[in-house]
Amino acid sequence: MRKHLSIVCTRVGSWPRNDVSLLVGDDLSLWEHQSTRNPNMPLRGLKYFVRLHAAHVEANSLNEYGTRLLPLPMPKFVVFYMGDEDEPAAEMLRLSDAYAGEGDVEVTANVLNVCSDQSDDLLGECEALAGYVRLLKLVRANRSRGLPFDEAVNSAVQQCMDEGVLTDYLTRRRSTVIDMFMDEYDEEKIGALFREDGRREGLAEGLVKGRQETLVELVRDGVLSVQDAAARADVSEDEIRQMAFDAPVLKSRSA
């Protein structure tokens, strides 16, 4: 059985995150975790799998221009939602939901809400994931009691160890886990990120958010022109430029 593990590095806001892809047999599985709901995960999955399949073709010296059908691993995309909003226990996101009409390419992302009350069966099958969710809930509970963030994290880690949750891992990697939480949940960075999101949403009020962000991503990636994106989003080209490249919106002069 073929096994291959890779790390796909992405950026959210101004700090890095790691998402894991695993090739076992003919399955290429990609797992990512999210603390806020993102309807554009199918688009991100498409970009991930293009890179991963391209790497697979190159690593195996496959000829994509030949007449023989190339064997490719089957992509599976799972997103673990770990936020505290009331989201469904399971949800299937589709790339086609962002299309202006019917399209020929489909990508899906299977979103699992591991913090849901209905996630017990899933967590029962994975002790490590259940332990992480327990740690996460303790951090949030400590924060709701008014503890400063560093104290909330340290207290949650110690409580997990006292309960026998992730004991071996936390004993060896306690400082790493604490640093991870401090980086991931730094309130100043997250606040800046959401303020930026709010500013961009205000520029295109009334548009479907998922579709708008998809168009902006396509502009950034050079797939779609600013003119085409503006026409499809029914906003000005200057607004598309601002959302895609943070360029200032040019005010029209009165005659």
Side-chain angles (χ1 to χ4, degrees):
M1 178 181 292
R2 292 176 296 150
K3 294 184 180 180
H4 175 71
L5 177 68
S6 66
I7 302 296
V8 180
C9 293
T10 64
R11 297 188 68 83
V12 176
S14 55
W15 65 97
R17 287 173 34 166
N18 288 333
D19 306 304
V20 179
S21 65
L22 179 66
L23 176 62
V24 179
D26 293 321
D27 290 340
L28 177 60
S29 297
L30 174 66
W31 302 303
E32 180 171 344
H33 80 272
Q34 294 277 308
S35 57
T36 56
R37 187 180 186 279
N38 185 344
N40 299 300
M41 294 312 298
L43 175 62
R44 293 177 59 174
L46 173 64
K47 296 166 70 174
Y48 291 152
F49 284 116
V50 166
R51 295 204 304 268
L52 292 169
H53 277 103
H56 170 80
V57 169
E58 181 177 356
N60 291 278
S61 301
L62 301 177
N63 178 16
E64 61 186 286
Y65 302 104
T67 58
R68 184 175 65 89
L69 181 65
L70 301 181
L72 295 176
M74 296 179 293
K76 298 181 183 297
F77 188 20
V78 178
V79 179
F80 297 108
Y81 172 73
M82 299 182 174
D84 53 7
E85 297 295 327
D86 186 18
E87 298 291 344
E91 181 181 14
M92 184 68 74
L93 301 180
R94 301 180 184 278
L95 183 65
S96 59
D97 291 339
Y99 295 163
E102 294 186 3
D104 294 330
V105 177
E106 183 65 280
V107 178
T108 60
N110 185 18
V111 183
L112 302 177
N113 184 355
V114 296
C115 292
S116 165
D117 294 336
Q118 304 175 46
S119 65
D120 291 346
D121 289 344
L122 172 63
L123 298 181
E125 297 179 5
C126 182
E127 182 179 353
L129 181 60
Y132 180 76
V133 170
R134 173 60 176 162
L135 176 60
L136 184 62
K137 289 184 175 180
L138 286 173
V139 171
R140 289 174 178 165
N142 289 340
R143 287 290 288 149
S144 68
R145 293 193 292 111
L147 289 182
F149 199 82
D150 57 343
E151 292 183 26
V153 174
N154 274 285
S155 176
V157 169
Q158 185 59 54
Q159 186 171 343
C160 275
M161 296 177 68
D162 293 342
E163 295 176 358
V165 175
L166 299 177
T167 305
D168 292 341
Y169 185 81
L170 291 176
T171 299
R172 292 181 286 108
R173 306 292 298 276
R174 176 171 181 152
S175 61
T176 301
V177 171
I178 292 174
D179 288 344
M180 177 197 70
F181 269 93
M182 297 303 292
D183 288 341
E184 186 77 11
Y185 293 92
D186 184 286
E187 292 176 315
E188 181 177 346
K189 293 177 181 177
I190 289 182
L193 175 63
F194 277 96
R195 285 193 296 273
E196 177 67 11
D197 281 348
R199 182 182 68 83
R200 291 182 176 176
E201 286 180 19
L203 293 172
E205 184 176 0
L207 295 176
V208 177
K209 183 179 178 182
R211 180 184 173 198
Q212 172 190 305
E213 291 181 351
T214 298
L215 292 171
V216 170
E217 282 286 332
L218 292 174
V219 170
R220 289 197 189 106
D221 292 340
V223 176
L224 197 66
S225 70
V226 170
Q227 293 80 5
D228 287 342
R232 296 187 187 191
D234 196 24
V235 297
S236 72
E237 294 177 14
D238 289 330
E239 288 174 328
I240 290 292
R241 289 191 185 93
Q242 182 174 31
M243 288 184 281
F245 310 115
D246 290 327
V249 173
L250 300 178
K251 300 289 186 180
S252 59
R253 297 181 179 179
S254 57

